[in-house]
Amino acid sequence: MIDIERIRADTPATSRVAYLHNAGAALMPVPVVEAMKQHIDLESEIGGYAAADRESDRLEAVYGSVARLLNAAPDEIALMENATVAWQMAFYALPFRAGDRILTAEAEYAANYVAFLQLAKRTGAIIDVVPSDAGGELDIQALERMIDERVKLIAITWVPTNGGLVNPAAAIGKIARARGIPYLLDACQAVGQMAVDVEAIGCDMLSATGRKFLRGPRGTGFLYVRREMLQRLEPPMIDHFAAPWVSRDEYRLRDDARRFETWENNYAARLGLGAAVDYALAIGLGPIEQRCRLLAGRLRYGIAAIRGITIRDLGRAPGAIVSFTIDGREADAIVRSAASAGITIGVSHPSSTRIDAEVRALPPVVRASPHYYNTDAEIDRLIGHLASLTPR
């Protein structure tokens, strides 16, 4: 269902390297790069203001593209400079008082957890970590037992950075909706590798990046805020774009999610993000997810048979991040060795997911993350290289 030859032609670097580091920053396809270059060229010819005016329709269309990607409405989308800022703008817009509880997962990402810690220090709010079940996913029954009237937020990372775990986002959303608790979902590693439907998930807020599986440029991200939630949130910081100055002593927040944006932006990068979203939509997120899982499954199956390699992934249906260690080899050294063989992979350090790493006594793990533009031959090439690093 996917024209791999055409897609690899749109991704010239695939002729030179086996690129399996898409959970870090994926390779951008030619249309994404061209969209950015063309806008930069236009800015150099007529200036940034005039270029933005001329391309206003295309810039506006990015909101519609992201909305289609998420099954949302354009007015529920804010375009941000990265996923962290998107997540922070939503999180810090929520009111907390002493004793209020935040429920999160064991595999929560470091950037989010330190924000919890800061808020707890400022307000006296309490962070409670929901335990994982036997498969490593957030335990839904435990979540239900932990909810009381003091829970003011459920915030989890859908696909953690350190492995293939896919948390039960929709099951969590069902509980959050039933109990009327705001639900913030970090979808950084999910968007672009799997279908994302905010209505089916039931989240109130969702943050994501452009640079990972979506194959967009760095310095791009977006925030979804459900329309009903939007009117309850005042951003922690505003400017005259988010909140026009309507009289000497009054500002008025925008009615849409752009109340979380600021006036100045990188318009070339935004157009690149829009091109990346359109590229993914044209292929279809269903076929993308199927191929990502097949390639990741091939890799897991291949390395599971190699003596000395331990797969570190959790979950019943893991996604396209494969984490592992090799006996007697440091993760960074494995990544360097693969790079010398023309294979790009990465490392996830315990500090990125400290609670999960402590619970499982994880060292730094190697992280290989295939995408739909990879081939079986590239997967087998990595398997063969890893086999050469293990004890005979």
Side-chain angles (χ1 to χ4, degrees), residues 36-199:
M36 291 188 291
K37 285 182 175 179
Q38 288 169 6
H39 192 76
I40 290 171
D41 288 343
L42 184 62
E43 287 186 343
S44 72
E45 294 293 331
I46 66 174
Y49 285 9
D53 287 343
R54 182 177 294 185
E55 296 298 319
S56 60
D57 288 346
R58 290 177 63 215
L59 289 163
E60 185 66 24
V62 179
Y63 293 92
S65 295
V66 174
R68 287 193 298 277
L69 181 73
L70 304 180
N71 188 29
D75 67 321
E76 297 175 311
I77 304 299
L79 302 179
M80 314 298 289
E81 52 266 48
N82 57 60
T84 299
V85 170
W87 188 95
Q88 290 171 338
M89 289 296 278
F91 175 68
Y92 285 107
L94 293 161
F96 290 93
R97 296 181 299 179
D100 288 346
R101 298 173 62 210
I102 300 167
L103 301 186
T104 191
E106 287 184 347
E108 191 63 14
Y109 185 53
N112 304 344
Y113 206 91
V114 296
F116 300 152
L117 291 171
Q118 184 188 55
L119 188 89
K121 183 178 179 181
R122 287 178 177 176
T123 69
I126 299 166
I127 310 162
D128 283 324
V129 178
V130 182
S132 301
D133 63 17
E137 300 169 9
L138 180 140
D139 188 324
I140 292 298
Q141 284 70 40
L143 172 64
E144 288 190 292
R145 289 194 299 269
M146 291 174 71
I147 291 175
D148 62 20
E149 69 281 356
R150 294 179 300 143
V151 175
K152 304 302 181 183
L153 177 67
I154 298 171
I156 70 152
T157 297
W158 189 359
V159 178
T161 191
N162 67 334
L165 173 65
V166 179
N167 271 314
I172 295 167
K174 185 175 180 180
I175 294 170
R177 284 281 177 93
R179 303 296 289 268
I181 300 169
Y183 175 24
L184 172 57
L185 183 63
D186 179 337
C188 255
Q189 299 286 12
V191 170
Q193 73 149 302
M194 59 181 65
V196 178
D197 184 335
V198 292
E199 287 299 318

Side-chain angles (χ1 to χ4, degrees), residues 295-336:
L295 290 170
R298 184 183 185 95
L299 177 56
R300 286 191 189 93
Y301 181 82
I303 63 176
I306 301 173
R307 180 186 172 192
I309 294 183
T310 302
I311 295 174
R312 302 290 186 165
D313 293 334
L314 298 174
R316 296 169 181 80
I321 303 177
V322 181
S323 61
F324 58 92
T325 53
I326 299 180
D327 294 347
R329 298 272 187 173
E330 292 186 355
D332 287 303
I334 296 167
V335 171
R336 290 193 297 271

